[in-house]
Structures are given as C-alpha cells and as structure tokens.
Amino acid sequence: MDFPELRFKDLVARVPIIQGGMGVGISLSGLSSAVANQGGIGVISAAMIGMEEPDIAKNPEEANIRALQKEIAKAREMTSGILGVNIMVALSNFAELVKTSIRERMDIIFAGAGLPFDLPQYQTPESRTKLVPIISSARAARVMCKKWLSRFNYLPDGFVVEGPLAGGHLGFKKEQLENPEFKLENLVQEVVAEVRPFEDEHGQAIPVIAAGGIYSGEDICRFLRLGASGVQLGTRFVATHECDADMAFKQSFIDCTEEDLMIIKSPVGMPGRAMRNQFLEDVEKGGKKPFKCLYHCIVTCDYKQSPYCIASALANAKKGRMHKGFVFAGQTAHRIQEIMSVKELIESLRQEYAQACS
C-alpha cells in the first residue's frame, strides 16, 4: 500500500508529507527542494530569512525580502516540485513577505503564529498560490472559514493543525500542553468535523494536515485514518543531509535525550519547545544576554523586557554557535539516531506506512 496523494485544489503532491517551515534559516532552498523532489511539499521559512544579508541590521525589511527572493529562485533551480513558504503572522513584515511570495508564484503560503485574517486580500487575479492557515483548534478553523467567506468570498485551501508536541512556538497555554483534551488526535478529528459543512455547502475540499510530534510511517497511517489528508513533519527533516543548518545543529538532535526537551517562555510571548543547553539554563537562572533590537522582527516581542534576542539566538544556533543560542525541537527529537538523506527518510516512512496500513 503506497502513500495516497495530497491535493490542494489543482495542486497534487504524490506524497502526503509537508516539510514544516523552520526558522531561522533551518529550512531554506536546500531542504525544501529536496523534499519537493521526492514528491512531498518543501517549505522555505521566511522568519528572519535575511540574517546572512550584509545590510540586515541597517535595512532588515529589504534584506529579508531580497533573501526570500534569492531562496525561492535557488529552490526553483533545484526542483520542479511543489514549494511553499511559511510566514509567521506575528512578523512585522508579514504583508510584504506574503506579497513577495505571491509575486514569485509560490505554490502555497502556510501562515501561523497568529490567525491570518487578511491573507486573501493579497491575492491577485492571476495568482494561483494556495492559502493554508496553521491553527491549533476547531474553533480557529470555523472562525477562519467564516471570516474569509464574509470578507473575501474565499475558503482556506486547507488547514495545518499543529498539536502541543510540536517544536518551536506553540499555539497553546503552558497548562494545556499536557492536557489529554488537546492531543493532536482529538484536534484533527474536531477540525475535520468542523470544516465538513463548509466543504459540503461550497463544493470545495478543505484538506486537514496533522502536525506536531509525528515521527513514523505508522503515525502517518494513524492520522490519515482519523481523517487527515496529510501530515507535516519538521523535526525529522532536521536530521537530513540536505537540511540548511550547520552540522553542529543537526548533531544536537542525534545527541538529544528526552530529558533535554523543555518548554520555554519565548520573548515573543508564547511558550516554545526547545532543547536544553547552557544558553537556556543561564536564562532560566535569570541571566541576561544584552542586545540592541536591530531587526524589530516580531510584533509581539517586548524587547525591552526580554533577556535575549530570539532572532540572534536562533541564527547563532543555525550557524553551529550553540553557546550563543538554542535549538527549537519537537517532542520526538530524542528518537532520532542518525542523519540520512531526504530520499532515505521518505522511503523509510513509506515502508512503515505500508506495513502499518496493510
């Protein structure tokens, strides 16, 4: 039994796997094109994508737009497969990144870290870019459908439902993370049920994608049987040769134990799942990493009260400077044993899926 296709209207992926967008600089053209070449959906993360640009401190808005254009062009040179871009709603330049992605004819925009109520307004008459919000509840799915219909006569082209076991910033309160009520299995079924009346009334499929803590082909089989049309994996794609991060960043996933995974209070005002290290332990003890806010990247970041700059910390980790930053990781990170190619990873997931579903 092989993977089923994943469809967003006329866009058809032969593998129902979306590679999660991981910033800062973890999923760029290298990783996204490799996933797209294997039939999945590769995703470039737009979060502070311009960190390598020489004028990032003086002109962050232009640097980030320029870097996004460069990465899209590089990815397009390496694949003819399906490419998406992940854009956080909380980014101060969200609107410009969305306009750029549509102008560059990206296949899909995934928008999370807030509800993208205005996203369809950036569509142009000739645009074929699909719009997929990342949500964490059935209520959010209902609100998004109603708002987009009333304001733009447009239904979401799909939803990514991210559960509490994901890495990075989480759309839950800290006390909800361990609550069985918020298990991904429950959330997926609730969102599938919530969007069904909209699908029936408007004659449009709204695929629901399960995300957060998915590790194996057996997991993929389980969530597809629960009504999901596909899955999103982030953490597993870090430990691949094609991932755009430094080798030291990838090695931290090989070395990770379950005890290393922790919930932090991010400067952007949300809980986040990260990998314990000396940097985060210093912060926990009340240590501060003095900085000037050069980028003004996140609307919700109270940088005057923050003990460190999250953009700089994540960029340092991406470059392998682990003592000056930290790693976001999903709850399954400790299960990773080796670094492999994207092709090998997807093939192993396919075999596990076939065995589990047969």
Side-chain angles (χ1 to χ4, degrees), residues 163-165 172-187 190 273:
L165 300 183
F172 300 89
K173 295 175 182 172
K174 191 172 181 181
E175 60 270 19
Q176 293 175 327
L177 297 177
E178 302 291 333
N179 187 333
E181 186 182 329
F182 297 96
K183 281 177 66 174
L184 181 59
E185 287 84 349
N186 296 336
L187 299 177
E190 289 163 7
R273 179 170 281 103

Side-chain angles (χ1 to χ4, degrees), residues 125-182:
E126 65 276 8
S127 169
R128 292 176 62 249
T129 303
K130 307 298 184 282
L131 307 178
V132 179
I134 301 171
I135 58 170
S136 53
S137 71
R139 180 179 175 275
R142 180 174 68 255
V143 169
M144 291 302 303
C145 288
K146 286 185 173 180
K147 287 265 189 188
W148 282 16
L149 278 172
S150 66
R151 293 184 62 191
F152 310 107
N153 193 30
Y154 192 101
L155 271 175
D157 295 303
F159 284 111
V160 173
V161 185
E162 198 167 83
L165 300 183
H169 292 117
L170 304 167
F172 300 89
K173 295 175 182 172
K174 191 172 181 181
E175 60 270 19
Q176 293 175 327
L177 297 177
E178 302 291 333
N179 187 333
E181 186 182 329
F182 297 96

Side-chain angles (χ1 to χ4, degrees), residues 165-168 178 235 252-253 255-264 272-277 280 284 327-336:
L165 300 183
E178 302 291 333
T235 295
S252 68
F253 283 71
D255 299 337
C256 176
T257 67
E258 194 164 6
E259 291 69 36
D260 291 332
L261 296 163
M262 63 186 292
I263 301 298
I264 65 168
R273 179 170 281 103
M275 214 178 279
R276 185 181 301 279
N277 70 353
L280 288 177
E284 262 193 320
V327 172
F328 274 140
Q331 189 58 44
T332 61
H334 66 283
R335 295 172 62 182
I336 293 174

Side-chain angles (χ1 to χ4, degrees), residues 54-252:
D55 58 342
I56 183 65
K58 291 181 181 175
N59 197 357
E61 284 200 17
E62 277 188 32
N64 282 308
I65 295 299
R66 189 188 319 123
L68 178 58
Q69 290 170 324
K70 284 182 186 175
E71 289 300 324
I72 291 172
K74 277 194 225 170
R76 284 283 182 225
E77 283 177 14
M78 293 188 277
T79 186
S80 58
I82 300 174
L83 291 170
V85 60
N86 180 293
I87 310 176
M88 295 168 62
V89 178
L91 289 171
S92 54
N93 59 341
F94 173 76
E96 288 308 312
L97 290 166
V98 168
K99 290 176 192 172
T100 301
S101 300
I102 290 172
R103 206 162 43 238
E104 297 291 330
R105 301 181 66 79
M106 287 301 273
D107 295 308
I108 309 177
I109 291 173
F110 298 96
L115 294 178
F117 290 124
D118 297 330
L119 191 53
Q121 81 178 21
Y122 303 109
Q123 287 277 43
T124 58
E126 65 276 8
S127 169
R128 292 176 62 249
T129 303
K130 307 298 184 282
L131 307 178
V132 179
I134 301 171
I135 58 170
S136 53
S137 71
R139 180 179 175 275
R142 180 174 68 255
V143 169
M144 291 302 303
C145 288
K146 286 185 173 180
K147 287 265 189 188
W148 282 16
L149 278 172
S150 66
R151 293 184 62 191
F152 310 107
N153 193 30
Y154 192 101
L155 271 175
D157 295 303
F159 284 111
V160 173
V161 185
E162 198 167 83
L165 300 183
H169 292 117
L170 304 167
F172 300 89
K173 295 175 182 172
K174 191 172 181 181
E175 60 270 19
Q176 293 175 327
L177 297 177
E178 302 291 333
N179 187 333
E181 186 182 329
F182 297 96
K183 281 177 66 174
L184 181 59
E185 287 84 349
N186 296 336
L187 299 177
V188 165
Q189 293 177 90
E190 289 163 7
V191 173
V192 168
E194 194 66 60
V195 301
R196 191 168 293 126
F198 293 98
E199 292 179 308
D200 293 343
E201 186 178 344
H202 297 275
Q204 176 190 322
I206 306 175
V208 174
I209 312 303
I214 295 171
Y215 186 87
S216 66
E218 184 181 357
D219 294 336
I220 298 172
C221 177
R222 185 169 79 257
F223 280 102
L224 265 52
R225 284 180 169 168
L226 290 174
S229 297
V231 297
Q232 177 179 285
L233 282 74
T235 295
R236 292 230 54 189
F237 282 111
V238 173
T240 60
H241 300 301
E242 296 92 339
C243 174
D244 296 277
D246 185 88
M247 187 59 206
F249 187 101
K250 301 178 193 183
Q251 187 62 39
S252 68

Side-chain angles (χ1 to χ4, degrees), residues 312-331:
S312 295
L314 295 174
N316 280 326
K318 185 260 186 193
K319 295 170 188 171
R321 302 173 192 156
M322 310 308 286
H323 61 294
K324 290 187 174 182
F326 67 92
V327 172
F328 274 140
Q331 189 58 44

